[in-house]
Amino acid sequence: HSRLARAAPFLYPRRVSQHLPQDAPEAATPANENPRAHVAVFVTLLIGYASFYLCRANIDAALPLLHDAFGYDKAKLGTLSSIAIAVYAGGKVLMGTLGDRIGGKKLMLIAMLGSIASTVFFGLSSGFAFLVLAAALNRFFQSGGWVSLVQVVARWFPPGRHGAVMGALSTSYELGNVGSLLLCGYIVKGGFGWRALFIVNPALFGLVAVFVFFALRGEPPPSTKPTEKKNEDDLPAMRF
């Protein structure tokens, strides 16, 4: 454990020294019972959120190809992108509320599966209205990606490490975007056509979804769990 702590100190809670009576049991000091679980959760979230760009960057990469395939001008393609972004913004509010009720892991998996399905729908579409609908649906589900990540971090990591962990996880933005655009570039350069972007990318995203399903398992260490109220009138506590 000491090697993991030295390699990624921001994943571990600070130990708070307590002044205990001499006859108090040593076990009374709170400790992180499973530090390896923090590393596993961090890596899973980093890979999981970065992979969301597989089904986001492909639409951006396909826009010039849609111009060539269907003759859509910049105004029409701009309309498609604007509607999708507007839905993305509204989706964050709705997804945040949903995540409070079902938990971060379930929300992330729903967002992944919904994004995969809508991306495949985009690749099978030809009419402009269907392309807009598919892009909007994709962005709606994509809006649950970061929201679910935040909820898992809040559940697994102590408050004193939230800033450091979130800062490190924010690198998944660029890692996912750059990696996905490079993949899209190879697909387009290979002459497979714009529809291949909506076959290869969601297939890879699906593999990551399976990985997230099995990797985010179990419960966080007791020292990082939020205090749950026992009032029956309260909303259910967040859970996986």
Short mmCIF file of all heavy atoms in Angstrom, two decimals, residues 177-207:
data_model
loop_
_atom_site.label_atom_id
_atom_site.label_comp_id
_atom_site.label_asym_id
_atom_site.label_seq_id
_atom_site.Cartn_x
_atom_site.Cartn_y
_atom_site.Cartn_z
N ASN A 177 -10.91 13.09 -25.70
CA ASN A 177 -11.17 13.85 -26.92
C ASN A 177 -10.07 13.62 -27.95
O ASN A 177 -10.34 13.34 -29.12
CB ASN A 177 -11.30 15.32 -26.59
CG ASN A 177 -11.88 16.13 -27.74
OD1 ASN A 177 -12.73 15.65 -28.49
ND2 ASN A 177 -11.43 17.36 -27.89
N VAL A 178 -8.82 13.75 -27.52
CA VAL A 178 -7.69 13.58 -28.44
C VAL A 178 -7.66 12.15 -28.98
O VAL A 178 -7.50 11.92 -30.19
CB VAL A 178 -6.36 13.93 -27.74
CG1 VAL A 178 -5.18 13.54 -28.62
CG2 VAL A 178 -6.31 15.42 -27.41
N GLY A 179 -7.78 11.16 -28.09
CA GLY A 179 -7.75 9.77 -28.53
C GLY A 179 -8.87 9.44 -29.49
O GLY A 179 -8.65 8.74 -30.49
N SER A 180 -10.08 9.94 -29.22
CA SER A 180 -11.22 9.65 -30.09
C SER A 180 -11.08 10.31 -31.45
O SER A 180 -11.40 9.71 -32.49
CB SER A 180 -12.52 10.11 -29.41
OG SER A 180 -12.74 9.41 -28.21
N LEU A 181 -10.58 11.55 -31.46
CA LEU A 181 -10.39 12.24 -32.74
C LEU A 181 -9.32 11.55 -33.59
O LEU A 181 -9.45 11.47 -34.81
CB LEU A 181 -10.03 13.71 -32.50
CG LEU A 181 -11.17 14.61 -32.01
CD1 LEU A 181 -10.65 16.00 -31.69
CD2 LEU A 181 -12.28 14.69 -33.06
N LEU A 182 -8.26 11.07 -32.93
CA LEU A 182 -7.24 10.33 -33.68
C LEU A 182 -7.83 9.06 -34.29
O LEU A 182 -7.56 8.73 -35.46
CB LEU A 182 -6.07 9.98 -32.75
CG LEU A 182 -5.16 11.14 -32.34
CD1 LEU A 182 -4.15 10.66 -31.30
CD2 LEU A 182 -4.43 11.72 -33.55
N LEU A 183 -8.65 8.36 -33.51
CA LEU A 183 -9.29 7.15 -34.03
C LEU A 183 -10.20 7.49 -35.20
O LEU A 183 -10.18 6.79 -36.24
CB LEU A 183 -10.10 6.48 -32.92
CG LEU A 183 -10.96 5.28 -33.34
CD1 LEU A 183 -10.09 4.14 -33.86
CD2 LEU A 183 -11.83 4.81 -32.18
N CYS A 184 -10.98 8.55 -35.06
CA CYS A 184 -11.87 8.96 -36.15
C CYS A 184 -11.07 9.32 -37.40
O CYS A 184 -11.48 9.00 -38.53
CB CYS A 184 -12.72 10.16 -35.72
SG CYS A 184 -13.93 9.79 -34.44
N GLY A 185 -9.92 9.97 -37.19
CA GLY A 185 -9.09 10.33 -38.33
C GLY A 185 -8.58 9.12 -39.07
O GLY A 185 -8.57 9.09 -40.31
N TYR A 186 -8.18 8.08 -38.34
CA TYR A 186 -7.70 6.85 -38.99
C TYR A 186 -8.83 6.17 -39.76
O TYR A 186 -8.62 5.63 -40.85
CB TYR A 186 -7.13 5.90 -37.94
CG TYR A 186 -5.76 6.30 -37.44
CD1 TYR A 186 -5.53 6.51 -36.08
CD2 TYR A 186 -4.70 6.47 -38.33
CE1 TYR A 186 -4.27 6.88 -35.62
CE2 TYR A 186 -3.45 6.84 -37.87
CZ TYR A 186 -3.23 7.04 -36.52
OH TYR A 186 -2.00 7.41 -36.07
N ILE A 187 -10.04 6.18 -39.19
CA ILE A 187 -11.18 5.54 -39.85
C ILE A 187 -11.51 6.27 -41.15
O ILE A 187 -11.73 5.65 -42.20
CB ILE A 187 -12.40 5.51 -38.92
CG1 ILE A 187 -12.12 4.59 -37.73
CG2 ILE A 187 -13.65 5.03 -39.66
CD1 ILE A 187 -13.20 4.61 -36.66
N VAL A 188 -11.55 7.59 -41.08
CA VAL A 188 -11.88 8.38 -42.28
C VAL A 188 -10.77 8.25 -43.32
O VAL A 188 -11.03 8.08 -44.52
CB VAL A 188 -12.09 9.86 -41.90
CG1 VAL A 188 -12.23 10.73 -43.15
CG2 VAL A 188 -13.32 10.01 -41.01
N LYS A 189 -9.52 8.32 -42.87
CA LYS A 189 -8.39 8.21 -43.79
C LYS A 189 -8.36 6.84 -44.47
O LYS A 189 -7.92 6.71 -45.62
CB LYS A 189 -7.09 8.46 -43.04
CG LYS A 189 -5.86 8.54 -43.93
CD LYS A 189 -4.62 8.87 -43.11
CE LYS A 189 -3.39 8.95 -44.01
NZ LYS A 189 -2.16 9.29 -43.22
N GLY A 190 -8.86 5.84 -43.77
CA GLY A 190 -8.90 4.50 -44.34
C GLY A 190 -9.96 4.33 -45.41
O GLY A 190 -10.03 3.27 -46.05
N GLY A 191 -10.79 5.35 -45.61
CA GLY A 191 -11.79 5.30 -46.67
C GLY A 191 -13.00 4.44 -46.34
O GLY A 191 -13.68 3.96 -47.25
N PHE A 192 -13.30 4.27 -45.04
CA PHE A 192 -14.43 3.42 -44.66
C PHE A 192 -15.77 4.15 -44.67
O PHE A 192 -16.81 3.55 -44.47
CB PHE A 192 -14.17 2.83 -43.26
CG PHE A 192 -12.97 1.94 -43.21
CD1 PHE A 192 -11.78 2.39 -42.65
CD2 PHE A 192 -13.02 0.65 -43.73
CE1 PHE A 192 -10.66 1.57 -42.60
CE2 PHE A 192 -11.91 -0.17 -43.68
CZ PHE A 192 -10.72 0.29 -43.11
N GLY A 193 -15.73 5.47 -44.87
CA GLY A 193 -16.97 6.23 -44.91
C GLY A 193 -17.40 6.72 -43.53
O GLY A 193 -16.97 6.20 -42.50
N TRP A 194 -18.31 7.72 -43.54
CA TRP A 194 -18.70 8.34 -42.27
C TRP A 194 -19.51 7.40 -41.38
O TRP A 194 -19.46 7.49 -40.16
CB TRP A 194 -19.49 9.62 -42.53
CG TRP A 194 -20.87 9.43 -43.11
CD1 TRP A 194 -21.20 9.34 -44.43
CD2 TRP A 194 -22.08 9.30 -42.37
NE1 TRP A 194 -22.55 9.17 -44.57
CE2 TRP A 194 -23.12 9.14 -43.32
CE3 TRP A 194 -22.42 9.29 -41.02
CZ2 TRP A 194 -24.47 9.00 -42.96
CZ3 TRP A 194 -23.74 9.15 -40.65
CH2 TRP A 194 -24.75 9.00 -41.60
N ARG A 195 -20.22 6.45 -41.97
CA ARG A 195 -21.04 5.55 -41.15
C ARG A 195 -20.17 4.60 -40.31
O ARG A 195 -20.62 4.13 -39.26
CB ARG A 195 -21.99 4.75 -42.03
CG ARG A 195 -23.04 5.62 -42.73
CD ARG A 195 -24.08 4.77 -43.44
NE ARG A 195 -24.93 5.58 -44.30
CZ ARG A 195 -26.02 6.22 -43.90
NH1 ARG A 195 -26.39 6.15 -42.63
NH2 ARG A 195 -26.74 6.95 -44.75
N ALA A 196 -18.94 4.36 -40.74
CA ALA A 196 -18.06 3.50 -39.95
C ALA A 196 -17.73 4.11 -38.60
O ALA A 196 -17.45 3.39 -37.63
CB ALA A 196 -16.76 3.24 -40.74
N LEU A 197 -17.79 5.45 -38.52
CA LEU A 197 -17.55 6.12 -37.24
C LEU A 197 -18.60 5.74 -36.21
O LEU A 197 -18.37 5.85 -35.00
CB LEU A 197 -17.56 7.65 -37.44
CG LEU A 197 -16.47 8.24 -38.34
CD1 LEU A 197 -16.75 9.72 -38.58
CD2 LEU A 197 -15.10 8.04 -37.72
N PHE A 198 -19.76 5.30 -36.69
CA PHE A 198 -20.87 4.99 -35.80
C PHE A 198 -21.08 3.48 -35.67
O PHE A 198 -22.14 3.02 -35.25
CB PHE A 198 -22.12 5.70 -36.31
CG PHE A 198 -21.94 7.19 -36.40
CD1 PHE A 198 -21.49 7.78 -37.58
CD2 PHE A 198 -22.14 7.98 -35.28
CE1 PHE A 198 -21.28 9.15 -37.64
CE2 PHE A 198 -21.93 9.34 -35.34
CZ PHE A 198 -21.50 9.93 -36.52
N ILE A 199 -20.05 2.76 -36.07
CA ILE A 199 -20.00 1.31 -35.84
C ILE A 199 -18.82 0.98 -34.93
O ILE A 199 -18.98 0.33 -33.89
CB ILE A 199 -19.88 0.55 -37.18
CG1 ILE A 199 -21.10 0.81 -38.06
CG2 ILE A 199 -19.72 -0.95 -36.91
CD1 ILE A 199 -20.99 0.20 -39.43
N VAL A 200 -17.64 1.44 -35.33
CA VAL A 200 -16.43 1.15 -34.57
C VAL A 200 -16.47 1.82 -33.19
O VAL A 200 -16.24 1.17 -32.16
CB VAL A 200 -15.18 1.61 -35.35
CG1 VAL A 200 -13.92 1.38 -34.51
CG2 VAL A 200 -15.08 0.88 -36.67
N ASN A 201 -16.79 3.12 -33.16
CA ASN A 201 -16.75 3.86 -31.90
C ASN A 201 -17.72 3.34 -30.85
O ASN A 201 -17.34 3.11 -29.70
CB ASN A 201 -16.98 5.35 -32.16
CG ASN A 201 -15.81 6.00 -32.88
OD1 ASN A 201 -15.20 5.40 -33.75
ND2 ASN A 201 -15.50 7.23 -32.53
N PRO A 202 -19.00 3.14 -31.20
CA PRO A 202 -19.90 2.59 -30.17
C PRO A 202 -19.54 1.16 -29.75
O PRO A 202 -19.82 0.77 -28.61
CB PRO A 202 -21.28 2.65 -30.83
CG PRO A 202 -21.03 2.77 -32.28
CD PRO A 202 -19.74 3.52 -32.41
N ALA A 203 -18.95 0.39 -30.66
CA ALA A 203 -18.52 -0.96 -30.28
C ALA A 203 -17.44 -0.90 -29.20
O ALA A 203 -17.49 -1.65 -28.21
CB ALA A 203 -18.01 -1.71 -31.51
N LEU A 204 -16.48 -0.01 -29.37
CA LEU A 204 -15.43 0.16 -28.36
C LEU A 204 -16.01 0.71 -27.06
O LEU A 204 -15.62 0.29 -25.96
CB LEU A 204 -14.34 1.09 -28.89
CG LEU A 204 -13.52 0.58 -30.09
CD1 LEU A 204 -12.57 1.65 -30.58
CD2 LEU A 204 -12.76 -0.68 -29.70
N PHE A 205 -16.95 1.64 -27.19
CA PHE A 205 -17.60 2.21 -26.01
C PHE A 205 -18.35 1.13 -25.24
O PHE A 205 -18.39 1.13 -24.00
CB PHE A 205 -18.54 3.33 -26.44
CG PHE A 205 -18.97 4.26 -25.34
CD1 PHE A 205 -18.29 4.31 -24.14
CD2 PHE A 205 -20.05 5.09 -25.51
CE1 PHE A 205 -18.68 5.18 -23.12
CE2 PHE A 205 -20.46 5.95 -24.51
CZ PHE A 205 -19.78 6.00 -23.31
N GLY A 206 -18.94 0.20 -25.96
CA GLY A 206 -19.64 -0.91 -25.32
C GLY A 206 -18.71 -1.78 -24.50
O GLY A 206 -19.07 -2.24 -23.41
N LEU A 207 -17.51 -2.00 -25.01
CA LEU A 207 -16.53 -2.79 -24.25
C LEU A 207 -16.15 -2.09 -22.95
O LEU A 207 -16.00 -2.73 -21.91
CB LEU A 207 -15.28 -3.02 -25.11
CG LEU A 207 -15.47 -3.91 -26.35
CD1 LEU A 207 -14.16 -3.99 -27.13
CD2 LEU A 207 -15.93 -5.32 -25.94
#
